[in-house]
Amino acid sequence: MPLVSQAAATDLKALEHLVALRAVQATSDDGAIARYNQQMDEAWTFFVANKATVVPLLREQFDAEICVFVYGRGAG
């Protein structure tokens, strides 16, 4: 029996992708741009392939970020 359910493992992978996307910074370095593009392609491919599991998590994460941006604090 796995220690982590498939849904939990998918959530963890989605969060890893979000961390990588949040780390993207403006740059003129062609190598960095290529890595960022690959990371974004991998993230979106994963999100689309796991849409049913990932969309609620993405909504939760985006809601929290919007609350921080608009209200200066987390949701809740």
Side-chain angles (χ1 to χ4, degrees):
M1 184 157 105
L3 296 176
V4 178
S5 72
Q6 181 62 39
T10 301
D11 284 355
L12 289 173
K13 187 65 176 172
L15 290 171
E16 289 175 12
H17 281 299
L18 284 176
V19 167
L21 292 174
R22 288 177 176 131
V24 171
Q25 297 185 12
T27 183
S28 59
D29 178 80
D30 289 340
I33 292 169
R35 285 189 302 277
Y36 287 153
N37 283 337
Q38 174 139 3
Q39 287 176 334
M40 288 186 280
D41 288 345
E42 289 173 1
W44 285 108
T45 298
F46 178 83
F47 295 154
V48 169
N50 296 282
K51 188 176 181 179
T53 303
V54 172
V55 167
L57 175 70
L58 292 176
R59 285 185 177 150
E60 176 183 291
Q61 292 293 308
F62 294 149
D63 286 349
E65 288 192 32
I66 289 169
C67 285
V68 169
F69 179 75
V70 173
Y71 301 110
R73 58 180 164 72

